[in-house]
Amino acid sequence: MTSTSTPPGLARFNALEEHAALAALHEVCAAPGWSRRLLTARPYATAEALYAASDAAMAELTAGDLEKAMAGHPPIGRPRPGDPVSAREQSGMAGAAAGLRAEMLELNLAYQERFGHVFLICATGRTGEQLRDAVKERLGNTPEREREIVRTELGRINRIRLARLLEADADAGTGAQADAAADAAED
């Protein structure tokens, strides 16, 4: 027999006061339109309903919101100092050789010059070489094609971060929710 009750992490998220929920969502994605849309659709009965709402909100991001979301991400190979989430998400670059790190810096700069924003990719589980190959391949895209790829990659990142947010320790209460929000910080 399956339970129809809301999972504990999702129940905590649903019960957060508006300002706390908004702060937690902002840590997942810096796009205000995305956060507001997810906030107003609460409560969620299942994690899948939350993920579906995230995907729908991502599809409707304005160009300005997409820019804000991208601005919340550090370049691949240069996670924010002291940010364990950023370091974890970019762990494929952590042990990269100096030559690969230097190449990624050059590629990141070329990408940013071409498209006007940081190279955004769901780096979780990818090696440094895979990240390098991806930026090389995407440098040839049109700006329109690249914007759609960025939207898709951002959606993948958001799903991973939302899952982490919902997995926060149920016994630690709202303090754990704040920690989970901090753990969902930008890569």
Side-chain angles (χ1 to χ4, degrees):
M1 181 170 148
T2 61
S3 170
T4 59
S5 66
T6 304
L10 185 57
R12 280 191 316 282
F13 173 71
N14 284 336
L16 284 175
E17 291 189 28
E18 186 172 320
H19 73 280
L22 194 57
L25 289 170
H26 181 77
E27 293 299 323
V28 171
C29 180
W34 178 88
S35 297
R36 279 192 301 277
R37 182 147 178 204
L38 267 66
L39 183 67
T40 60
R42 285 189 316 164
Y44 295 97
T46 66
E48 280 306 317
L50 175 62
Y51 303 149
S54 173
D55 293 346
M58 186 59 51
E60 294 182 11
L61 281 186
T62 65
D65 265 343
L66 195 55
E67 286 178 29
K68 289 175 184 171
M70 288 184 289
H73 290 266
I76 295 293
R78 292 186 290 155
R80 288 192 181 95
D83 180 357
V85 172
S86 182
R88 178 180 57 235
E89 289 178 344
Q90 293 193 29
S91 64
M93 287 299 297
L100 179 56
R101 289 176 157 300
E103 186 177 9
M104 276 304 291
L105 176 60
E106 288 178 27
L107 288 167
N108 276 325
L109 292 172
Y111 180 96
Q112 192 157 354
E113 184 175 314
R114 173 154 167 68
F115 296 109
H117 57 80
V118 68
F119 171 66
L120 188 84
I121 189 168
C122 183
T124 300
R126 295 185 191 219
T127 66
E129 291 80 5
Q130 289 171 322
L131 294 168
R132 177 203 55 212
D133 294 348
V135 71
K136 281 181 172 181
E137 179 181 321
R138 286 174 50 189
L139 274 166
N141 287 338
T142 65
E144 296 78 18
R145 172 75 179 127
E146 192 57 23
R147 217 175 356 265
E148 289 312 307
I149 291 172
V150 164
R151 188 180 300 271
T152 299
E153 293 295 322
L154 187 58
R156 288 180 180 139
I157 294 166
N158 290 355
R159 277 181 168 249
I160 291 168
R161 291 177 176 186
L162 285 170
R164 283 191 201 123
L165 182 68
L166 298 182
E167 291 170 0
D169 182 4
D171 296 331
T174 57
Q177 192 67 38
D179 291 344
D183 191 52
E186 304 301 324
D187 68 335

